[in-house]
């Protein structure tokens, strides 16, 4: 969801800003723009490549702000691209978020004589600052006073012609990271573009305003002129955000699966005692012993991970679990109390709906936990305790490696809570032992990518797809369908296989294929019957099955095999071929799978 980047220092800013934009490109690619004081502003529809074509060698300077847009208010046109400017061309603003009261602010500013050029909400910020500057004659005070008037969410960077080396950034509900170098400072929507410059960062908090010059930085709030925020050192490096020879980040990230699971379980398993160690929960362990209910909240893929978590936690830890999408939980009055845990699952740790669900549950007294991948992100900071996935940065807009690491973290949490509540040592040993074997088993699924590639070629012409599964693989049917929709734009529906005859089967004909997730588990026989029902209606079926399954081969020929594992862990294996299938289908159809249309990696607005 929109990316902002800014730099001030003693080097040429143009290549630094372009490079920053390129690293953030997965956040938005509707339009792009850049401003360098005294050199000018350039904007373009499309991504950074388009902007580069318009840049001339005269764009010289040592500071600047830049933006990638994911349109909310106003079409993706050049006029609506950021930076936005005031009437006198002195204030330049880039913004991620939504100014909710922009209409009334705009009316007020128009009545004061301001002229607007774009249809965006952001432009009011530039005019507000211009207006305040006339009153205060101080850039910093003008920004502070303007933000007082604004309702909504923002991560902004502002540049002022009258003080060209200074950048002012602010955050409320949209992520902003400050990068600290020697005589150089940066602002970015996330840490990835900072890595090639510095590993020292400060994650701004809501209400923080950072004032940067080439010599130093200072953080203030609306009221205090200076506050101290802890510096953090990034724990990943630039290599992790490169494609490593793969054509797309999505493929690279799927192929990282074995390593990702190694990282999620590293140092956390104690198989001989049937235990797991989760240091991030130490502070709340006693409280966890007394909880009566868990509500898992997430969006998109993270929500589907939560659904698998529900099955794991209820079966093995005996705790009642509900799973909700963030955008619903935050607006309904769910009964929550101090015996409830709100468990938020999020790759980015910045998803607005998930974050607001946490805040709502906190207000009602719940204990909040996070399963989060992005270290230092807002959800990681605002939850009481949590588990980091350690999947490394995920750049592909479609979530892949983060999903299997979320499932693994949920399995770890299940053992942890289960062992607190009467799970036997033998069951604990069994699960931890199987978790250890997962990386090797995922590798054997990845080794079948040629087969998956050829199946994707075969089915890429389909207009629709039904995905069906049961029990632990019921959520995987929805996740598989989501992946295919996102990447190949094929209409795909997830469905509980038992539900099929209550409606979805009406769609089945020779042109409407089904992907059945049918591993050898406790609902295998039922899945076989459902596959037969599809076949009886002349529907084509492609299946995920367990190695050695010979009964399925009598009915269908398109089968991808996954190794045997515990039933509760099968989703971690069955998700992988579905990710590859979606990937190769998207590629076969000629789409840029790392930048699916209309999507953004991190959804920081409602
Ligand atoms: O960063 P989060 O895990 O909170 O993101 C949640 C969803 O926006 C995300 O999973 C989305 O559905 C992806 N595009 C799925 O591939």
């Amino acid at each position: 969801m929109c990316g902002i980047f800014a730099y001030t220092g003693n080097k040429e800013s143009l290549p630094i800003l372009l490079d920053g934009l390129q690293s953030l490109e997965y956040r938005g690619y509707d339009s792009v723009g850049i401003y360098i004081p005294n050199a000018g502003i350039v904007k373009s529809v499309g991504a950074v490549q388009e902007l580069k074509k318009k840049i001339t060698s005269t764009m010289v300077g040592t500071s600047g702000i830049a933006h990638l847009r994911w349109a909310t208010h106003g079409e993706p046109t050049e006029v609506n691209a950021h930076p936005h400017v005031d009437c006198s061309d002195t204030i330049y603003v880039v913004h991620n978020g939504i100014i909710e009261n922009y209409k009334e602010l705009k009316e007020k500013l128009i009545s004061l004589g301001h002229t607007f050029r774009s249809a965006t909400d952001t432009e009011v910020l530039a005019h507000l600052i211009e207006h305040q500057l006339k009153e205060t004659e101080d850039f910093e005070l003008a920004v502070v006073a303007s933000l007082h008037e604004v309702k909504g969410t923002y991560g902004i960077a502002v540049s002022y012609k009258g003080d060209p080396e200074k950048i002012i950034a602010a955050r409320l509900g949209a992520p902003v990271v400050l990068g600290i170098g020697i005589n150089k400072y940066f602002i970015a929507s996330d840490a990835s573009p900072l890595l090639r410059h510095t590993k020292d960062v400060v994650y701004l908090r809501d209400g923080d305003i950072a004032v940067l010059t080439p010599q130093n930085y200072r953080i203030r709030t609306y009221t205090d002129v200076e506050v101290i925020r802890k510096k953090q050192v990034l724990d990943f490096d630039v290599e992790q955000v490169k494609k490593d020879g793969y054509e797309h980040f999505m493929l690279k990230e799927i192929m990282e699966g074995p390593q990702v699971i190694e990282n999620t379980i590293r140092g956390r398993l104690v198989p001989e005692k049937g235990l797991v160690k989760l240091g991030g929960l130490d502070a709340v362990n006693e409280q966890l012993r007394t909880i009566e209910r868990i509500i898992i909240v997430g969006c998109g893929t993270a929500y589907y991970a939560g659904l698998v978590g529900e099955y794991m936690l209820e079966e093995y830890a005996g705790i009642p679990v509900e799973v909700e999408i963030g955008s619903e939980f935050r607006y309904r009055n769910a009964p929550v109390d101090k015996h409830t845990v709100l468990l938020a699952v999020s790759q980015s740790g910045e998803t607005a709906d998930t974050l607001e669900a946490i805040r709502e549950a906190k207000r009602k007294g719940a204990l909040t936990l996070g399963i989060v991948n992005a270290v230092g992100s807002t959800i990681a900071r605002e939850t009481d305790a949590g588990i980091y996935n350690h999947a490394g940065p995920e750049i592909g807009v479609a979530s892949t490696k983060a999903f299997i690491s979320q499932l693994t973290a949920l399995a770890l949490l299940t053992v942890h809570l289960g062992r607190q509540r009467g799970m036997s040592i033998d069951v604990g040993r069994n699960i931890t032992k199987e978790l250890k074997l997962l990386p090797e088993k995922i590798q054997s699924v990845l080794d079948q990518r040629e087969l998956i590639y050829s199946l994707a070629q075969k089915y890429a012409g389909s207009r629709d797809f039904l995905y069906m599964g049961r029990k632990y693989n019921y959520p995987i049917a929805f996740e598989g369908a989501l992946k295919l929709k996102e990447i190949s734009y094929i209409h795909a529906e997830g469905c509980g296989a038992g539900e099929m005859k209550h409606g979805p089967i009406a769609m089945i004909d020779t042109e409407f294929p089904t992907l059945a997730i049918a591993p050898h588990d406790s609902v295998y026989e039922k899945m076989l019957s459902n596959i037969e029902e599809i076949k009886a209606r002349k529907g084509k079926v492609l299946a995920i099955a367990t190695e050695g399954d010979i009964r399925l081969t009598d009915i269908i020929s398109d089968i991808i095999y996954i190794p045997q594992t515990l039933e509760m862990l099968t989703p971690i294996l069955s998700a992988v071929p579905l990710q590859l299938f979606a990937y190769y289908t998207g590629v076969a159809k000629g789409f840029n799978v790392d930048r699916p249309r209309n999507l953004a990696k991190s959804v920081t607005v409602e």
Side-chain angles (χ1 to χ4, degrees):
M1 195 107 325
C2 294
I4 65 167
F5 189 80
Y7 166 78
T8 183
N10 50 22
K11 295 241 163 60
E12 274 304 320
S13 57
L14 181 62
I16 296 173
L17 292 169
L18 289 174
D19 186 69
L21 283 178
Q22 215 123 32
S23 305
L24 285 174
E25 219 165 17
Y26 65 95
R27 296 184 68 90
Y29 26 82
D30 289 343
S31 58
V32 58
I34 202 164
Y35 166 69
I36 296 179
N38 302 321
I41 184 166
V42 185
K43 300 180 183 187
S44 168
V45 172
V48 185
Q49 235 13 64
E50 299 307 312
L51 184 78
K52 280 184 173 169
K53 291 179 195 159
K54 299 175 88 178
I55 284 175
T56 62
S57 53
T58 54
M59 286 205 79
V60 177
T62 55
S63 70
I65 58 176
H67 188 268
L68 287 152
R69 180 158 186 253
W70 185 88
T72 58
H73 293 66
E75 284 177 38
T77 59
E78 214 168 290
V79 169
N80 288 336
H82 301 215
H84 286 288
V85 193
D86 65 336
C87 300
S88 53
D89 284 350
T90 53
I91 304 287
Y92 294 77
V93 181
V94 290
H95 167 222
N96 170 25
I98 295 179
I99 307 299
E100 286 168 5
N101 58 341
Y102 85 99
K103 280 204 176 115
E104 56 192 86
L105 290 172
K106 190 169 174 175
E107 276 165 26
K108 182 180 128 185
L109 288 158
I110 289 173
S111 72
L112 289 169
H114 289 257
T115 308
F116 280 74
R117 309 175 204 198
S118 75
T120 66
D121 52 335
T122 302
E123 196 183 336
V124 295
L125 283 171
H127 293 279
L128 263 182
I129 298 169
E130 178 186 31
H131 173 69
Q132 290 294 345
L133 200 55
K134 279 189 197 133
E135 310 267 310
T136 60
E137 295 182 2
D138 181 292
F139 178 30
E140 185 178 322
L141 293 181
V143 173
V144 174
S146 302
L147 293 178
H148 264 297
E149 294 194 49
V150 161
K151 288 197 188 109
T153 55
Y154 51 79
I156 55 166
V158 189
S159 176
Y160 168 47
K161 233 179 204 167
D163 197 350
E165 289 191 327
K166 187 177 277 179
I167 305 279
I168 299 186
R171 161 192 172 132
L172 189 75
V176 178
V177 193
L178 162 65
I180 303 161
I182 298 167
N183 293 329
K184 51 183 181 184
Y185 297 92
F186 306 82
I187 288 294
S189 290
D190 70 45
S192 55
L194 303 177
L195 281 170
R196 65 202 70 214
H197 306 289
T198 178
K199 284 200 160 191
D200 293 334
V201 299
V202 171
Y203 290 92
L204 295 196
R205 296 190 197 163
D206 278 348
D208 281 355
I209 299 165
V211 183
L212 285 56
T213 66
Q215 293 76 39
N216 54 39
Y217 77 93
R218 177 166 56 82
I219 300 175
R220 59 165 297 161
T221 62
Y222 305 119
T223 45
D224 299 316
V225 286
E226 184 152 4
V227 289
I228 305 299
R229 298 282 178 243
K230 210 171 133 213
K231 222 194 278 180
Q232 297 196 25
V233 181
L234 296 174
D235 69 345
F236 56 101
D237 55 45
V238 84
E239 291 311 309
Q240 285 175 278
V241 290
K242 284 189 177 161
K243 281 193 208 150
D244 256 354
Y246 286 100
E247 203 186 331
H248 296 102
F249 278 111
M250 183 175 173
L251 182 59
K252 178 200 169 211
E253 288 160 4
I254 297 170
M255 297 305 287
E256 279 172 7
Q259 192 56 51
V260 163
I261 303 307
E262 292 277 7
N263 292 344
T264 308
I265 60 177
R266 178 165 300 118
R268 288 170 163 172
L269 302 180
V270 195
E272 54 301 345
K273 293 186 182 161
L275 292 172
V276 302
K277 281 190 296 189
L278 295 169
L281 299 184
D282 281 352
V284 296
N285 262 333
E286 282 319 303
Q287 215 176 330
L288 285 175
R289 287 179 196 280
T290 63
I291 56 156
E292 291 167 2
R293 172 174 168 238
I294 299 178
I295 302 175
I296 304 181
V297 171
C299 300
T301 289
Y303 166 72
Y304 296 132
L307 285 178
V308 177
E310 175 183 22
Y311 284 58
M312 293 176 176
L313 285 158
E314 289 200 338
E315 180 170 2
Y316 286 95
I319 307 172
V321 178
E322 291 150 54
V323 192
E324 279 206 51
I325 47 176
S327 49
E328 286 302 316
F329 180 85
R330 61 183 287 192
Y331 288 118
R332 68 185 196 87
N333 189 16
V336 167
D337 60 21
K338 63 179 174 20
H339 300 295
T340 308
V341 163
L342 187 294
L343 170 62
V345 182
S346 175
Q347 186 288 127
S348 62
E350 302 292 350
T351 301
D353 288 321
T354 309
L355 186 57
E356 285 307 322
I358 294 167
R359 290 176 178 162
E360 173 64 6
K362 265 191 161 176
R363 276 192 285 273
K364 291 178 169 172
L367 174 68
T368 57
L369 303 181
I371 292 182
V372 175
N373 191 37
V375 176
S377 57
T378 312
I379 293 179
R381 283 184 284 114
E382 291 203 14
T383 40
D384 296 309
I387 306 169
Y388 276 124
N389 302 23
H390 297 309
E394 189 177 67
I395 307 294
V397 169
S399 189
T400 54
K401 65 175 181 174
F403 180 64
I404 58 169
S405 71
Q406 284 161 349
L407 298 179
T408 306
L410 283 159
L412 293 173
L413 181 66
T414 300
V415 178
H416 183 67
L417 297 180
R419 291 288 279 130
Q420 281 185 344
R421 299 165 177 254
M423 176 194 281
S424 73
I425 185 168
D426 277 353
V427 172
R429 276 184 184 143
N430 206 14
I431 300 175
T432 47
K433 201 182 76 198
E434 273 301 317
L435 277 166
K436 256 188 128 168
L437 298 175
L438 281 179
E440 176 186 323
K441 293 185 177 180
I442 291 174
Q443 189 56 52
S444 81
V445 179
L446 294 172
D447 291 344
Q448 296 176 70
R449 62 187 178 281
E450 277 186 28
L451 165 71
I452 301 169
Y453 169 82
S454 61
L455 290 171
Q457 301 285 322
K458 178 171 170 183
Y459 287 94
S462 309
R463 208 190 61 183
D464 310 278
F465 238 103
L466 183 71
Y467 280 62
M468 65 175 189
R470 276 176 180 262
K471 206 174 169 185
Y472 280 99
N473 284 290
Y474 162 67
I476 301 307
F478 287 84
E479 168 57 11
L482 176 67
K483 244 17 13 133
L484 192 71
K485 280 188 275 206
E486 286 187 296
I487 299 306
S488 72
Y489 316 140
I490 292 175
H491 160 244
E493 279 194 37
C495 154
E499 252 321 269
M500 195 198 40
K501 52 187 160 301
H502 298 284
I505 200 165
M507 300 184 293
I508 299 300
D509 62 18
T510 52
E511 301 306 310
F512 202 126
T514 299
L515 198 152
I517 308 151
H520 210 274
D521 59 13
S522 62
V523 286
Y524 173 70
E525 296 293 337
K526 308 235 175 275
M527 278 302 296
L528 282 193
S529 306
N530 298 133
I531 292 171
E532 293 281 14
E533 285 155 12
I534 301 269
K535 294 292 294 177
R537 274 123 192 124
K538 298 199 175 3
K540 295 187 194 102
V541 180
L542 158 66
I544 309 290
T546 303
E547 281 168 1
D549 181 337
I550 45 165
R551 284 175 66 192
L552 256 182
T553 49
D554 289 342
I555 327 175
I556 51 175
S557 48
D558 292 337
I559 305 177
I560 304 163
Y561 289 103
I562 58 170
Q564 180 77 52
T565 184
L566 282 180
E567 182 172 17
M568 69 175 274
L569 302 179
T570 49
I572 301 173
L573 300 180
S574 61
V576 176
L578 303 190
Q579 295 170 350
L580 281 171
F581 183 70
Y583 171 77
Y584 285 125
T585 306
V587 171
K589 295 185 78 179
F591 298 131
N592 182 346
V593 295
D594 279 340
R595 284 191 222 152
R597 72 180 176 215
N598 303 336
L599 294 181
K601 181 67 184 161
S602 176
V603 185
T604 51
V605 295
E606 261 195 77

